[in-house]
Amino acid sequence: SSIEQGERPVVHVHEDKRHSYQDGDYVKFTEVEGMTELNDAGAIKISDTKAYSFRLELDTSGFGAYARQGIVEDTK
């Protein structure tokens, strides 16, 4: 539902889309609007996982502002 801009941004998922990711997992994004740089970023390590949020180990300070939607998937 939102992605912050920053050195270690927080990603918030919709309240009805609880995720099962754990610290150290890698995710990839597709179909993100606004912050389209995430769509080409490949596998991104995550940390500080909570039921409806997690942090990206990726600096998005220079990325466009998140507008809406997007799909996040676990990568192996």
Side-chain angles (χ1 to χ4, degrees), residues 3 9-11 13 19-30 32 37-47 49 53-58 71-76:
I3 304 171
V10 174
V11 175
V13 298
H19 67 80
S20 60
Y21 303 140
Q22 298 178 2
D23 289 0
D25 284 352
Y26 286 81
V27 297
K28 68 176 183 173
F29 290 86
T30 56
V32 173
E37 296 90 344
L38 283 178
N39 296 325
D40 299 319
I44 305 165
K45 188 175 182 178
I46 63 170
S47 63
T49 55
S53 68
F54 53 86
R55 279 192 188 278
L56 299 178
E57 298 297 320
L58 175 73
I71 298 170
V72 61
E73 297 176 310
D74 192 17
T75 63
K76 301 291 182 205

Side-chain angles (χ1 to χ4, degrees), residues 3 5 31-39 62-70:
I3 304 171
Q5 286 177 289
E31 300 181 27
V32 173
E33 293 184 21
M35 194 178 285
T36 57
E37 296 90 344
L38 283 178
N39 296 325
F63 289 10
Y66 175 80
R68 64 188 182 116
Q69 75 179 25

